[in-house]
Amino acid sequence: MKNVEISSSSDAVALAVALSGHLPSNELVVIPQGSLGSGVPITPLDPRPSLREVGRLLAGIKGIEHHLEGRQLMAVAFGSIESAAMVGAVMERLRPDEVTPVFAYADGLARRWEGEGLFWPASGEPVDLAAHPFVVEALAAGHLQLRTRGEIRASFAPAQLGAQRAARAREALHAEQSTIVTMAPHKAAQRAYEQALSGYLDKGADRGITVSDEHAAMLAAAALDLQVRDLLLIHFTTENAPALAEVWRQVAAVLDGPNSGTAAILAAACHWASRHAVAAREALNAGLESAPEHSLGRLLERALDAGIHPSMWEHLRTAAAQAAAEQSTR
């Protein structure tokens, strides 16, 4: 997003949504002005802030300042006027010699902080986020899901398509696992790719991907075999990562238990590779809830916590490709 000009509180709120990749709810979005291509730090807010919350927020913003190396900031608080006023007060205390624009979005209205507990205008500006040009551009580019964190995480919940369908998928999964153990890993990975995965890769994540129960079972079985899963990684590129993320989300949605967790964690890896940080985190949270000891999930969790750049994915793909070449020559 280039040459952005903020001329109203509505513009500020829409920009925060467009850059955050989701619809913030009870969250603070801090934007480094003049460098919109860099990361946008997001921190949770308490709708009814206490003194302890003020201290936590102050420490968090100090950390954000360090991350952004003292650049000019703009802050947009989502959730309540009380929490947004707290943000304004903290910014004044933290940066007494600078004017940090602070905006609030609550009850569908955008407001600007004017100091001493005041927001202007008092009535606020109505914002139709879905129609704002900043949001429309981010949606069209695939950089934004106009959903809250909770809604994104719920989309990775196990067995959300019904207990009966989950039972059928579980039975098919067991049959697939029986087939896989009779095959060489590279042959099993090739079969899963050709029969169940390749047909989805030429589609965008928003272009009608519908994963059948048969394909979900085949892919889940491949993902549960570590050698087969690692060999499948060679097909995970930054270009097809959004489509793959939707495929694995649907696999997670039809299955139950740890089987669903493995699929959600692979969806998280795809979202990370395509630089959708919020979706990656929420998919990972859902996956680890179902499969708390999953080794790839814990590895990805450490990568997200450490802020490792998603370009690292290509290094993982290279290692997987080398392993695939070694397997195929045996």
Side-chain angles (χ1 to χ4, degrees):
M1 187 172 289
K2 300 178 180 179
N3 301 321
V4 173
E5 182 177 343
I6 302 299
S7 59
S8 67
S9 299
S10 298
D11 286 349
V13 168
L15 179 63
V17 171
L19 293 177
S20 67
H22 72 299
L23 181 59
S25 175
N26 296 322
E27 292 165 273
L28 170 66
V29 179
V30 178
I31 303 168
Q33 296 188 70
S35 54
L36 299 182
S38 62
V40 180
I42 300 170
T43 188
L45 290 176
D46 190 328
R48 297 179 178 83
S50 62
L51 287 177
R52 177 178 294 180
E53 176 69 8
V54 171
R56 184 197 67 79
L57 182 64
L58 180 60
I61 293 179
K62 284 181 177 178
I64 289 171
E65 276 211 311
H66 176 72
H67 172 70
L68 296 176
E69 299 176 350
R71 283 175 277 177
Q72 275 196 305
L73 304 178
M74 183 176 79
V76 184
F78 292 79
S80 71
I81 292 299
E82 291 81 5
S83 60
M86 175 186 68
V87 171
V90 166
M91 283 295 190
E92 282 192 335
R93 175 180 172 184
L94 186 63
R95 298 181 145 215
D97 299 325
E98 298 184 41
V99 177
T100 300
V102 177
F103 299 88
Y105 182 69
D107 303 320
L109 300 176
R111 300 175 175 86
R112 177 164 180 161
W113 165 263
E114 290 296 312
E116 298 183 1
L118 301 177
F119 278 92
W120 181 89
S123 59
E125 302 173 15
V127 185
D128 182 359
L129 287 174
H132 194 284
F134 296 166
V135 173
V136 170
E137 179 182 344
L139 286 169
H143 298 156
L144 168 66
Q145 296 184 60
L146 204 54
R147 296 185 293 172
T148 65
R149 282 181 178 269
E151 291 168 338
I152 292 171
R153 183 170 181 175
S155 71
F156 297 99
Q160 60 183 275
L161 303 180
Q164 289 185 338
R165 192 171 173 188
R168 290 195 301 269
R170 189 187 319 119
E171 184 177 346
L173 168 61
H174 292 158
E176 282 294 331
Q177 287 179 305
S178 297
T179 299
I180 283 179
V181 296
T182 67
M183 305 174 68
H186 73 278
K187 290 291 187 182
Q190 182 179 2
R191 174 176 173 266
Y193 172 72
E194 292 179 350
Q195 296 186 24
L197 192 60
S198 61
Y200 301 111
L201 299 188
D202 60 349
K203 300 179 180 181
D206 59 347
R207 295 179 186 171
I209 290 176
T210 302
V211 179
S212 67
D213 288 358
E214 177 186 6
H215 287 170
M218 187 178 294
L219 290 171
L224 290 169
D225 185 295
L226 295 185
Q227 286 184 294
V228 177
R229 181 202 70 192
D230 289 348
L231 292 168
L232 275 179
L233 291 180
I234 64 174
H235 303 293
F236 289 27
T237 68
T238 53
E239 289 74 20
N240 65 32
L244 277 170
E246 176 58 17
V247 169
W248 288 111
R249 186 198 70 77
Q250 291 189 31
V251 175
V254 73
L255 294 170
D256 55 8
N259 302 328
S260 172
T262 296
I265 287 165
L266 287 173
C270 294
H271 279 303
W272 177 57
S274 56
R275 293 160 173 72
H276 293 157
V278 171
R281 177 66 73 174
E282 296 309 322
L284 180 62
N285 288 341
L288 288 175
E289 187 172 312
S290 296
E293 302 305 320
H294 197 282
S295 57
L296 178 61
R298 291 301 178 189
L299 179 64
L300 182 57
E301 182 180 48
R302 290 196 292 271
L304 291 175
D305 289 346
I308 294 176
H309 197 275
S311 61
M312 181 62 68
W313 181 257
E314 288 304 316
H315 296 290
L316 295 175
R317 269 196 1 103
T318 300
Q322 291 173 347
E326 293 173 1
Q327 287 280 355
S328 63
T329 58
R330 292 177 183 174

